[in-house]
Amino acid sequence: MRARFATGLLAGVVALAGACRETRDGGIAANGPPVDAADGGTLIVAVPAEPGTLFPPLVTGTQGAAVVSALFDRLAEIGPALETYGDQGFTPRLASRWRWSPDSLSIAFTIDARARWHDGRPVRAADVRFTYLTYVNPAVGSEGAPLLASIDSVTAPDDSTAVFWFRERTPRQFFDATYHMVVLPAHLLDTVPPARLADAPFARQPVGSGRFRLAAWEPGQRLEVVAVPDHPRGRPHLDRVIWSLVPDVNAATMKLFAGEADFYELIRPENLPQLARTPSVRLVDNPALQYGFLGFNLRDPRGAGAAHPVLGDSLVRRALSMAVDRRQLARSVFDSLGITALGPAPRALIPDTLAFTAPAHDPAAARTLLEAAGWRDGNGDGIRDRNGRDLAFDLLVPNSSQTRQRYAVLLQEQLRAVGARVTPRILEVNALVAQLDAHTFDAYLGSWQTSPGLAGMRQTWGSTGGGNVGRYASPAFDAAVDSALTSRDPVAARSHWSRAFRQIVADAPAIWLYEQRQPVALHRRVQVPPLRADGWYADLADWWIDPAQRLPRDRIGLGTPP
Amino acid sequence: MRHPSRPVRLFGGLVVVMLVAPWLAPYAPEAQLDLVAQRGLPPSWTHWLGTDLYARDVLSRVLAGTRVTLAVALGSVVLSMGVATVVGTAITLAPRPVSTLLAGLVEALLPVPRLLLLLACSAALTPLSGAGLTILIGLTGWVAAARLVADETRRINRSDFVLAARAIGLSEWRIMRRHLWPHLQPVLAAHATLAVAAAISAEAGLGFLGLGIAPPAPSWGNIMRDGAGVVTTQWWLTVAPAAAATLAMLACHQVGEAFEESVLMVPR
Amino acid sequence: MSRDLPPSLGRGLRALVHIAAVLMASASLAFVCLHLAPGDAGTALGEGLSPAARDALRERYGLDQPLVVQYLKWLGALAQGDLGWSTSQHRPVLQAIGEAFGHTLWLVIPAFALSLLGGMWIGTWQGLRAGSRGDRLVTWITLALHATPDVALASGVLLLGAGVLALFPTGGMTSDIHAYLPMASRWLDRLQHLVLPVVTIALVGSATLARHQRASLRAALQLPFMAWLPTRGLPPAHIRWHAWRNALAPVLSVAGILLPSWLAGLVFVEQVYAWPGMGYLLVQAIAAQDMALVSGAVLLASGCALTIARVAAVAHAMADPRLAADLPGSL
């Protein structure tokens, strides 16, 4: 009896498994052939987290940014070279054309007459005005507000013209007006009090004017956008894009290799051998505008306003920079998928990388410098001290970043070799942010995503910047950055930037550690234009599936679900 | 007929292993060898259990981590079992107000996730010593065991020999010692062995909150945490400490069994 | 030890008060613990944001008010049946929890059934052969299963089932194109995705239950009356049945603790298999410092625990009639 039961169970499992293999790919309803042969296809993106909100002014993180980029339009899109001077390289999106005023203090955008919101209503200039007011409203609390400071106001003289008025002429006027904002529908949002916009139904069911519209969002599982077939700029080649939530890194990699996901951003060096053995998946270069660093707190954490007892001395900081073999660390952590960072910006955005050099790896010189600064090993324990205080500090690391945790352990060892005791403290993100905001830390491992044109430099390393938690304050650096950002002559701006970088590298408020060169894994059948450095999702509407390599899920078509 | 001191001998053996293990390590556990060429190597003749992400020998780290991991795990299990036994028996045997209060406390604590309790403590506690870690893990893990003990105590309370003992007029204390305690053994021993594994993984989890054994000092939980992101590619980082933990649990299991046998042999 | 039996109305009322007190205590404890934890919903937005953005969020949700005020507000809303608003998911807490609990039920109920059957069967098999080689081997296996970190075990099962054998999907509750599958295939799709996570949970669950079943069966076999039964001429199978009956109670006890803790969420399985259940919800809510969602989830977990405790007490009484005197109403 028991044997029969077991056999029956086994048979049931085998039948289930056998059925599994079939239905994984087959049995899908098709809704007619696509018009253009290259049209059609379902792209599945494996992501480790889902966006919290899809209300564009409050979106943080790549997942939300990717979905917003698909659903919404900017007035004009930046060119692939990410040039921020004037309007070179920008292509029309929601605005079909624009006209500068003779004194360059205003730009008049003409809204595309064919532009429609996903609910059918036409896009009007009042929407642009409403968008600007929402982004800069302090009650909304958008992170983009400080970046729109150069805009004085936005007016809508008629339904199809939106005029941006600027306080002064800057080289980035056009960039400021178009890059940081996606246009929001006023008719759906203007009745909601600004403080409640984050919780309005719009945050989970956004309506945009982009080439994709939101089809479904199953919380905790997936988010699906489908193509808008009658979009004025043409329907996207893909039928749909599904962001599929896979929190576990190993499971996501398995999903990719099994063919159930087409795109995965977080492929790691450990997976490269398996990727080489899987013919259906390939790597695509994904330049990123990100850099990692070890940031020092230049002020005393106890809050007296005095300099940090150990790290307030720039000689000590420079010596610690020299003690670290950054190239070896980058090789160890990233293999060939990472390079050292040169300064407070990714190399792609630094106008002149030869104008300055970070301190080279030289442990002997580091020791000499520390001795000169008065740090000697008085008690023979291997750690330098001065006036009874050890050359020791805590290094805060977020538990969410494997990369930075690895760096912390490696840095601890390298700095011990010159007589500094570094204690990595891995903290949960809330604890880390709380300490950073309160400035009660010694050092931390941080990472910044940089905007094109280095527009955010004031916020990250300027003395009044909200992101400058180490409280680095150099009037010379501030002045150089200001000149660089406001200068209308590219050559002059280059020299200002070089001056700024030389200053900050000499002051060494941080050890500039790495830039990740993370390729993304993509299914062979997906054809893509070169990925933009500020986000791989920028040209999602232009991705297409090779008709000769279509999978069954590419043949679903645009019809509504059965 | 088993020698009554067998559990003591087994436990002593475990302690000896804990003390001796770090001396057997072939490399220094914190030494980062060639950072580029020797990181993440699979097991080989020069590195029996391979190397980890920072080019450190895994075998040395496992051996060096034995002492602190076992001390924390065993200590916290003893603490949590102790508290659970006290609270569990009190729920059944103490007078009504105390019993209801304790029962309510256990029921209220059970659904609160351990993570939350640890996070709440983490704000007040900066890096913990081994003793502090033991107390933290022990004091957050007794609740389920207390429920078990309470249920078992209630069951034993109703059994014939206890009723008979009460009828003769034996004192409560005597009943507890000679009748209750031996019959709680199986449940406690079974739970304790599993609790050792839970304590090891709790220590690993605490590492995520910055409260575990601070790097670069090795502990089995640390090694498992290093290996968590590369389970499928650098499997030795997970298998090595898991195998060590299995051996430790097996030893605890033997101790528990021997203890049980020697206690159950005591004539009533 | 005798207790005075109060009139049944007083008893029922006292039971109700007890339940309400425990529920409120759990949820309030969770509320306070989350507040004590470092940071708040503002810091949970992540690194690299300006203090202004964080402060705007704090003001929006009233997080800058003292703890007592926030607690009383939450309590007041709860009294009107409103579980609150989730600051991390931007929707009502009830909606978020309802969905997640449904997904958890779909996972846990089959897993629990399988664990109970498997655990009892293996544990009984072991208990009857205690000390033999087979018993020792199975003990090694169950201990090894427990020593393996949960996430590694789940990843291992996933690797085996979906990677190496390629028989099952690589995670998720349903296929990403589930909405486009024909009606007939949808149920099959759901079942396919259920197999691996259920197997993973059942491995751990049956290992736990087997250990307890083995221990209690061995203890039951040592009871005096077991030596007496063969003299009555009972067949060996009958004797084993009696032993098993006597060994049931502790196993039911453990099962009664396992089930509510599983219903409160199995984080490692949900994480590896991308299953949006209560475990994942709670971990995300704690990381996001979402007070209302955490309190609501713990309230639900507490309710489950209390309900299952009552059911387990009934099961206990059925297994061991001597305990029937303890029903109804008491712990």
Side-chain angles (χ1 to χ4, degrees):
Chain A
M1 201 279 280
R2 228 184 280 175
R4 224 181 285 167
F5 175 71
T7 321
L9 188 65
L10 191 62
V13 171
V14 170
L16 192 65
C20 292
R21 233 185 298 206
E22 286 174 30
T23 43
R24 241 214 286 197
D25 283 346
I28 298 165
N31 287 69
V35 175
D36 177 5
D39 277 351
T42 301
L43 182 78
I44 299 184
V45 180
V47 290
E50 56 175 11
T53 173
L54 288 178
F55 180 58
L58 293 176
V59 160
T60 52
T62 11
Q63 322 311 337
V67 178
V68 161
S69 160
L71 298 178
F72 290 87
D73 275 336
R74 294 181 166 118
L75 282 173
E77 194 61 45
I78 198 171
L82 300 180
E83 188 54 62
T84 56
Y85 270 81
D87 59 3
Q88 301 304 316
F90 282 81
T91 48
R93 285 284 186 269
L94 205 52
S96 54
R97 61 181 192 280
W98 52 86
R99 199 182 63 241
W100 291 78
S101 69
D103 58 2
S104 296
L105 283 178
S106 70
I107 310 175
F109 292 90
T110 307
I111 311 293
D112 191 336
R114 306 164 299 169
R116 296 275 177 282
W117 296 108
H118 295 148
D119 63 357
R121 302 274 283 271
V123 180
R124 295 177 322 201
D127 294 321
V128 178
R129 182 161 180 279
F130 173 80
T131 303
Y132 166 73
L133 291 172
T134 305
Y135 267 86
V136 296
N137 192 336
V140 171
S142 169
E143 192 59 15
L147 300 168
L148 300 169
S150 66
I151 302 172
D152 183 53
S153 64
V154 176
T155 57
D158 57 59
D159 268 354
S160 59
T161 315
V163 185
F164 279 72
W165 299 89
F166 298 89
R167 297 178 215 283
E168 51 176 358
R169 277 186 290 269
T170 60
R172 282 191 182 70
Q173 281 168 261
F174 196 86
F175 171 74
D176 286 343
T178 55
Y179 187 78
H180 304 293
M181 296 186 285
V182 293
V183 184
L184 306 171
H187 66 280
L188 291 173
L189 293 172
D190 55 8
T191 48
V192 181
R196 307 276 286 280
L197 280 172
D199 298 316
F202 188 86
R204 294 191 77 85
Q205 291 161 328
V207 169
S209 59
R211 290 162 84 181
F212 289 97
R213 63 173 176 81
L214 185 69
W217 184 357
E218 293 161 65
Q221 296 182 63
R222 62 190 62 93
L223 200 159
E224 181 181 334
V225 303
V226 293
V228 173
D230 51 355
H231 196 273
R233 296 200 306 275
R235 63 151 280 173
H237 294 301
L238 292 170
D239 283 335
R240 67 185 46 78
V241 182
I242 301 177
W243 277 269
S244 182
L245 179 64
V246 191
D248 186 65
V249 178
N250 293 307
T253 321
M254 263 189 254
K255 190 163 171 147
L256 176 76
F257 289 130
E260 290 176 32
D262 300 318
F263 181 89
Y264 188 49
E265 216 180 327
L266 302 173
I267 200 88
R268 290 165 304 163
E270 292 88 51
N271 299 117
L272 291 182
Q274 190 182 2
L275 195 130
R277 291 195 301 268
T278 314
S280 61
V281 181
R282 72 186 201 279
L283 286 178
V284 171
D285 193 36
N286 181 25
L289 299 176
Q290 197 177 34
Y291 67 97
F293 59 94
L294 187 161
F296 297 111
N297 188 359
L298 274 58
R299 300 276 183 81
D300 195 333
R302 284 165 308 188
H308 193 284
V310 175
L311 303 169
D313 184 356
S314 73
L315 288 178
V316 171
R317 298 196 302 268
R318 271 217 293 277
L320 294 177
S321 299
M322 289 197 277
V324 173
D325 188 352
R326 299 175 301 141
R327 204 168 297 157
Q328 191 194 35
L329 292 191
R331 280 287 316 278
S332 172
V333 175
F334 299 114
D335 217 337
S336 54
L337 301 180
I339 50 176
T340 57
L342 298 176
R347 288 183 203 200
L349 293 181
I350 298 179
D352 188 353
T353 55
L354 298 175
F356 63 96
T357 39
H361 172 57
D362 192 346
R367 288 189 197 99
T368 318
L369 208 54
L370 287 172
E371 300 261 340
W375 293 91
R376 295 194 173 82
D377 187 4
N379 50 8
D381 62 350
I383 303 299
R384 295 172 189 272
D385 44 78
R386 184 179 77 172
N387 299 336
R389 195 196 183 89
D390 275 346
L391 181 57
F393 57 93
D394 284 348
L395 179 63
L396 301 188
V397 189
N399 67 356
S400 51
S401 169
Q402 268 280 338
T403 304
R404 282 182 265 171
Q405 287 180 52
R406 283 163 73 159
Y407 257 94
V409 177
L410 298 172
L411 283 166
Q412 179 184 38
E413 193 56 30
Q414 295 218 330
L415 290 173
R416 199 180 55 80
V418 296
R421 187 175 63 234
V422 177
T423 314
R425 295 207 24 232
I426 300 175
L427 291 181
E428 190 243 337
V429 173
N430 284 304
L432 178 81
V433 172
Q435 286 212 32
L436 291 182
D437 276 356
H439 309 292
T440 54
F441 66 98
D442 294 324
Y444 76 109
L445 286 179
S447 151
W448 281 116
Q449 182 97 20
T450 320
S451 314
L454 295 175
M457 189 63 82
R458 281 198 200 102
Q459 277 76 36
T460 50
W461 296 103
S463 50
T464 53
N468 186 359
V469 289
R471 289 183 289 185
Y472 169 62
S474 160
F477 177 76
D478 286 343
V481 169
D482 274 338
S483 309
L485 286 176
T486 52
S487 162
R488 282 167 17 238
D489 174 14
V491 174
R494 248 169 98 97
S495 76
H496 288 306
W497 278 122
S498 301
R499 215 160 32 92
F501 281 111
R502 267 198 298 273
Q503 180 68 47
I504 195 172
V505 162
D507 289 335
I511 304 180
W512 319 108
L513 289 173
Y514 63 87
E515 282 178 49
Q516 246 175 306
R517 279 292 152 92
Q518 176 109 24
V520 292
L522 192 56
H523 195 271
R524 194 156 284 281
R525 76 188 198 289
V526 182
Q527 312 300 319
V528 302
L531 300 179
R532 240 168 64 177
D534 63 334
W536 59 264
Y537 40 82
D539 299 313
L540 200 53
D542 297 328
W543 293 24
W544 54 282
I545 306 281
D546 181 5
Q549 297 182 55
R550 274 202 191 130
L551 292 178
R553 64 168 176 264
D554 294 325
R555 302 199 185 93
I556 299 177
L558 269 184
T560 48
Chain B
M1 187 70 181
R2 312 232 195 279
H3 202 279
S5 72
R6 186 160 175 259
V8 177
R9 284 211 309 264
L10 274 178
F11 197 74
L14 200 63
V15 172
V16 168
V17 167
M18 274 171 60
L19 292 176
V20 165
W23 294 59
L24 302 172
Y27 297 84
E30 291 142 28
Q32 294 172 8
L33 311 163
D34 190 337
L35 276 184
V36 178
Q38 286 194 303
R39 68 179 193 285
L41 295 177
S44 64
W45 286 116
T46 43
H47 296 279
W48 289 8
L49 291 177
T51 60
D52 68 0
L53 305 161
Y54 310 103
R56 298 179 296 203
D57 179 46
V58 177
L59 176 63
S60 311
R61 285 182 71 75
V62 170
L63 289 173
T66 310
R67 199 182 292 177
V68 72
T69 308
L70 282 183
V72 169
L74 293 175
S76 65
V77 166
V78 165
L79 179 62
S80 60
M81 290 297 124
V83 175
T85 310
V86 168
V87 174
T89 45
I91 288 178
T92 313
L93 300 176
R96 176 70 80 82
V98 178
S99 148
T100 321
L101 193 66
L102 283 177
L105 179 68
V106 167
E107 282 197 308
L109 274 177
L110 210 48
V112 180
R114 200 169 183 175
L115 170 66
L116 203 48
L117 295 169
L118 292 173
L119 266 178
C121 298
S122 76
L125 309 163
T126 41
L128 289 169
S129 63
L133 205 57
T134 312
I135 296 175
L136 189 62
I137 298 179
L139 286 183
T140 48
W142 57 267
V143 188
R147 263 290 287 279
L148 274 182
V149 170
D151 288 343
E152 265 304 282
T153 312
R154 194 177 327 120
R155 203 177 64 91
I156 298 167
N157 219 16
R158 301 265 180 228
S159 55
D160 300 328
F161 50 86
V162 172
L163 291 174
R166 285 220 177 89
I168 316 176
L170 282 179
S171 73
E172 282 301 319
W173 185 246
R174 201 112 185 260
I175 294 175
M176 269 203 277
R177 218 164 58 93
R178 303 201 68 164
H179 301 286
L180 203 58
W181 177 239
H183 285 274
L184 280 178
Q185 284 309 302
V187 172
L188 281 178
H191 193 88
T193 317
L194 302 180
V196 167
I200 296 177
S201 61
E203 191 271 312
L206 278 174
F208 278 108
L209 302 179
L211 289 176
I213 307 286
S219 78
W220 296 349
N222 266 350
I223 304 173
M224 282 197 242
R225 193 161 47 80
D226 284 342
V230 287
V231 165
T232 47
T233 46
Q234 291 174 20
W235 48 268
W236 51 96
L237 287 176
T238 312
V239 168
T246 311
L247 288 174
M249 285 170 71
L250 208 63
C252 292
H253 168 77
Q254 307 275 37
V255 171
E257 297 236 295
F259 202 64
E260 199 181 309
E261 277 160 19
S262 70
V263 166
L264 282 175
M265 294 301 289
V266 173
R268 296 198 203 101
Chain C
M1 177 181 295
S2 63
R3 295 177 197 211
D4 298 315
L5 282 178
S8 44
L9 180 65
R11 219 173 168 190
L13 217 63
R14 232 209 308 273
L16 221 64
V17 167
H18 179 90
I19 289 176
V22 170
L23 284 175
M24 285 317 301
S26 294
S28 307
L29 186 60
F31 195 94
V32 171
C33 278
L34 194 61
H35 192 266
L36 287 176
D40 60 2
T43 58
L45 286 175
E47 300 171 65
L49 294 180
S50 63
R54 297 192 212 277
D55 287 334
L57 185 140
R58 288 180 187 121
E59 210 181 299
R60 200 189 311 145
Y61 295 121
L63 297 175
D64 38 8
Q65 293 167 336
L67 174 63
V68 181
V69 174
Q70 290 183 48
Y71 179 68
L72 288 175
K73 273 204 190 147
W74 173 75
L75 212 55
L78 193 62
Q80 296 166 23
D82 174 19
L83 280 174
W85 185 264
S86 162
T87 57
S88 60
Q89 292 196 27
H90 301 285
R91 54 183 187 149
V93 166
L94 188 61
Q95 197 184 59
I97 291 182
E99 278 182 19
F101 193 60
H103 300 152
T104 291
L105 282 177
W106 175 231
L107 177 67
V108 164
I109 294 193
F112 182 71
L114 194 59
S115 303
L116 200 58
L117 291 172
M120 284 207 261
W121 188 63
I122 297 171
T124 311
W125 184 89
Q126 275 192 282
L128 293 173
R129 291 165 190 69
S132 74
R133 220 178 311 168
D135 168 47
R136 273 206 294 272
L137 180 65
V138 177
T139 303
W140 272 82
I141 296 176
T142 50
L143 287 183
L145 278 175
H146 271 281
T148 322
D150 296 338
V151 174
L153 186 66
S155 298
V157 172
L158 182 62
L159 185 63
L160 190 66
V164 173
L165 298 176
L167 288 175
F168 298 98
T170 52
M173 265 181 59
T174 53
S175 158
D176 287 321
I177 43 173
H178 181 82
Y180 301 99
L181 295 175
M183 288 300 281
S185 321
R186 287 193 199 174
W187 274 106
L188 191 60
D189 186 49
R190 272 187 224 272
L191 287 173
Q192 283 170 240
H193 283 84
L194 193 60
V195 172
L196 289 182
V198 164
V199 165
T200 308
I201 303 173
L203 276 177
V204 178
S206 44
T208 312
L209 289 170
R211 282 210 59 69
H212 284 272
Q213 173 78 79
R214 176 188 179 278
S216 70
L217 189 61
R218 277 192 66 210
L221 286 170
Q222 310 252 3
L223 289 174
F225 80 90
M226 291 300 305
W228 168 79
L229 279 181
T231 67
R232 300 288 296 171
L234 283 172
H238 230 138
I239 296 176
R240 286 203 291 270
W241 162 250
H242 275 285
W244 185 80
R245 245 325 271 286
N246 269 276
L248 202 48
V251 180
L252 287 181
S253 209
V254 175
I257 295 177
L258 275 185
L259 184 58
S261 84
W262 287 1
L263 286 177
L266 281 158
V267 182
F268 68 100
V269 165
E270 293 174 25
Q271 182 147 333
V272 172
Y273 291 96
W275 200 276
M278 290 295 293
Y280 183 69
L281 177 102
L282 201 49
V283 167
Q284 293 297 106
I286 292 174
Q289 280 273 343
D290 193 338
M291 307 273 250
L293 192 54
V294 170
S295 309
V298 171
L299 197 63
L300 176 64
S302 188
C304 286
L306 287 171
T307 316
I308 291 170
R310 299 294 171 276
V311 169
V314 171
H316 247 177
M318 293 202 302
D320 189 344
R322 294 173 298 182
L323 293 174
D326 279 329
L327 294 176
S330 57
L331 173 62

